[in-house]
Amino acid sequence: MADKLAKLEMDGKTYEYPVLEGSTGPDVIDIRKLYAQTGLFTFDPGFTSTASCESALTYIDGDEGVLLHRGYPIGQLAEHSSFMEVSYLLLNGELPSKQQLDDFTYTITRHTMLHEQLMTFYRGFRRDAHPMAVMCGVVGALSAFYHDSTDISDPEHRKISSHRLIAKMPTIAAMAYKYSVGQPFIYPDNSLSYTGNFLRMTFGVPAEPYEVIPAVERAMDRIFILHADHEQNASTSTVRLAGSSGANPFACIAAGIACLWGPAHGGANEAALNMLKEIGTPDRIPHYIERAKDKNDPFRLMGFGHRVYKNYDPRATVMQKTVREVFDALKVNDPLFETALRLEEIALSDPYFIEKKLFPNVDFYSGIILSAIGFPTTMFTALFALARTVGWVAQWNEMISDPAQKIGRPRQLYTGPTQRDYVPLSQR
Ligand code: SDX
């Protein structure tokens, strides 16, 4: 029985609802009985005040700019951990021992190849197809190839399909890039790390050996860590809702990829770099700041603002530091980084951004790094999807194994016509 109760007064009646407490963060009012008792729905478009589920994976304190994965701060994971280790942590709840990490990495490494028939699938796309269109299509098609792991009621099937999805996303993303530039696909090389393998499949060519640059491999791995999971964001909620119907995991992740593609969500990293390119030099920043503030102008500062963070996105902090590491490692410089730093400085001193608590988010600096490494902007969101797959898969597993889980089916505030009779065509 909950210690605290929330009271609702309606038409002279008092209704009480239990207030549930988590291990940290806001308490929730359990309104599961509201409609049965009062005939009322709650109304919360965009779910700004709604907890859709109970989860133990990721905690965000938006006011303090805190992001924890199974309790570990993102800054510590980015500095000390690896994407494989964070993937194990998200899936299993604890940091792995050396043996557990080796076994997990071995398993993932040996699922990196795709069914050879999928090569033909790629050839059906136009060469200029956006990589996210390819990712949506190919990941959705995986359920046509892996019938042996789509029984979601079987924990072993869930485990195999989870490992397959995490393992094959780098191969699928790299192949989408290769197809777009007309180069041959590069098969996985199991002697490389998860991230090193991805870099080789993306930038390697059969004509010569490919040397993974350790600093770039480290930066890329850290970018994957920063994108791994993020509580109940739009694409994760899409995966959970799709999974609540019992759909197979490949179809659910394909739905998550489709949602992530939107420029308000994962598509913002591509949009942010395109915005920086359009701004060009710092002297043009004030004009764009004014546009972003103009209610009549749909232009927004891409890579700025967040539904939850009303403080600096801790991932953006790590991302900004990583820019310099990659520039130093590759001995490159990109004047857009200076433009981005100046844009951040000006925006964060502007009352509009201060009042609305708009700070750079994970997408603001990532594109500069990815561009320096050699990715075209069209690949940025595909890389976000590659990394977020472990979060989607972990959230999907948590949802499926939750005894309280049921099909998600929101209601509505209906404002359309009330019942009326059909009018024959001759009388209209
Ligand atoms: C991601 O949810 C997650 O966790 C997502 C993510 C993850 O890891 O999964 O963190 C990844 O999606 C990061 C966000 C990437 N998107 C962008 O950078 C696109 C630009 N940002 C905005 O579109 C916006 O900030 C959102 C979509 C991110 C958040 O939108 P909200 O929470 O619905 O806030 P809002 O649109 O209601 O904005 C509040 C106010 C509005 O002004 P008013 O109507 O109150 O006058 O702030 C303004 C907005 O106009 N505003 C901006 C702005 N973002 C919000 N004004 C200018 N530039 C911006 N970027």
Side-chain angles (χ1 to χ4, degrees):
M1 182 62 187
D3 299 338
K4 287 193 276 185
L5 292 173
K7 288 187 181 176
L8 175 68
E9 305 277 347
M10 269 299 288
D11 303 332
K13 283 186 184 173
T14 302
Y15 305 89
E16 292 184 339
Y17 297 97
V19 175
L20 309 179
E21 291 181 19
S23 43
T24 184
D27 294 347
V28 299
I29 303 172
D30 181 348
I31 55 160
R32 280 175 283 191
K33 294 189 177 126
L34 176 76
Y35 177 57
Q37 290 175 350
T38 68
L40 294 169
F41 296 145
T42 58
F43 186 63
D44 185 15
F47 311 118
T48 50
S49 305
T50 296
S52 62
C53 64
E54 183 176 328
S55 179
L57 282 163
T58 292
Y59 173 69
I60 302 172
D61 181 331
D63 294 328
E64 297 303 316
V66 169
L67 169 57
L68 308 176
H69 290 315
R70 300 287 193 174
Y72 296 99
I74 190 64
Q76 294 181 26
L77 293 172
E79 189 172 345
H80 304 299
S81 189
S82 68
F83 183 67
M84 278 293 97
E85 185 174 78
V86 170
S87 296
Y88 181 98
L89 173 66
L90 285 168
L91 290 170
N92 298 289
E94 297 297 335
L95 288 169
S97 65
K98 169 122 180 39
Q99 190 57 55
Q100 287 168 328
L101 181 58
D102 289 348
D103 294 347
F104 178 73
T105 305
Y106 178 87
T107 300
I108 295 297
T109 302
R110 272 145 193 81
H111 276 294
T112 50
M113 282 180 68
L114 279 190
H115 190 292
E116 194 70 5
Q117 196 67 21
L118 274 162
M119 308 287 187
T120 316
F121 194 95
Y122 271 79
R123 301 203 196 294
F125 289 102
R126 284 174 40 156
R127 288 280 180 182
D128 61 352
H130 193 291
M132 285 298 278
V134 176
M135 299 277 280
C136 282
V138 173
V139 173
L142 291 179
S143 46
F145 288 83
Y146 298 108
H147 297 291
D148 64 337
S149 67
T150 54
D151 174 1
I152 59 161
S153 62
D154 180 337
E156 256 324 287
H157 279 209
R158 293 205 299 268
K159 192 172 175 183
I160 295 169
S161 50
S162 300
H163 290 163
R164 278 178 165 149
L165 279 159
I166 295 165
K168 295 181 192 307
M169 285 301 271
T171 313
I172 292 167
M175 288 171 66
Y177 170 69
K178 283 305 196 190
Y179 188 69
S180 73
V181 295
Q183 289 183 0
F185 299 134
I186 299 288
Y187 286 100
D189 175 347
N190 290 352
S191 69
L192 298 173
S193 73
Y194 181 89
T195 302
N197 192 23
F198 169 66
L199 289 168
R200 179 180 167 277
M201 289 190 288
T202 304
F203 297 117
V205 288
E208 58 189 38
Y210 176 81
E211 200 65 35
V212 176
I213 302 173
V216 173
E217 181 181 22
R218 180 81 195 104
M220 195 74 239
D221 198 72
R222 189 182 304 147
I223 288 173
F224 287 162
I225 292 173
L226 295 176
H227 287 83
D229 190 49
H230 212 239
E231 202 210 64
Q232 304 311 318
N233 59 84
S235 52
T236 297
S237 300
T238 301
V239 170
R240 279 181 170 261
L241 196 55
S244 73
S245 75
N248 75 71
F250 305 105
C252 296
I253 300 306
I257 294 171
C259 177
L260 185 74
W261 194 1
H265 189 13
N269 52 18
E270 176 177 357
L273 194 73
N274 290 337
M275 174 191 73
L276 289 170
K277 286 177 180 172
E278 185 184 331
I279 294 174
T281 49
D283 59 298
R284 286 159 51 86
I285 289 173
H287 168 66
Y288 283 87
I289 293 274
E290 289 316 305
R291 281 192 59 193
K293 290 156 63 174
D294 179 355
K295 297 301 295 167
N296 301 316
D297 188 334
F299 174 81
R300 286 193 163 181
L301 282 189
M302 300 316 281
F304 260 77
H306 199 278
R307 169 60 61 74
V308 178
Y309 290 122
K310 301 308 171 190
N311 199 322
Y312 213 96
D313 182 334
R315 301 169 296 175
T317 307
V318 180
M319 211 62 93
Q320 195 195 89
K321 278 192 299 191
T322 305
V323 173
R324 296 195 191 285
E325 280 178 35
V326 171
F327 281 8
D328 292 347
L330 294 175
K331 298 181 179 34
V332 296
N333 192 11
D334 183 347
L336 288 182
F337 182 44
E338 296 314 314
T339 302
L341 290 170
R342 189 81 185 98
L343 173 57
E344 174 187 335
E345 189 187 332
I346 296 173
L348 296 190
S349 59
D350 184 296
Y352 173 93
F353 291 89
I354 295 168
E355 281 152 29
K356 294 183 186 299
K357 298 183 178 179
L358 303 174
F359 291 85
N361 59 49
V362 67
D363 295 309
F364 187 59
Y365 289 105
S366 57
I368 293 170
I369 303 170
L370 298 174
S371 183
I373 294 173
F375 293 102
T377 50
T378 50
M379 275 296 289
F380 291 179
T381 310
L383 299 175
F384 194 149
L386 186 169
R388 184 53 58 88
T389 293
V390 66
W392 289 330
V393 159
Q395 298 268 356
W396 172 78
N397 276 294
E398 185 178 62
M399 183 264 308
I400 291 280
S401 42
D402 178 349
Q405 186 268 332
K406 54 176 38 176
I407 188 166
R409 206 282 188 210
R411 302 302 302 273
Q412 63 181 9
L413 171 67
Y414 178 68
T415 54
T418 51
Q419 184 166 329
R420 53 184 171 165
D421 294 330
Y422 182 78
V423 179
L425 187 58
S426 58
Q427 294 172 30
R428 280 179 248 157

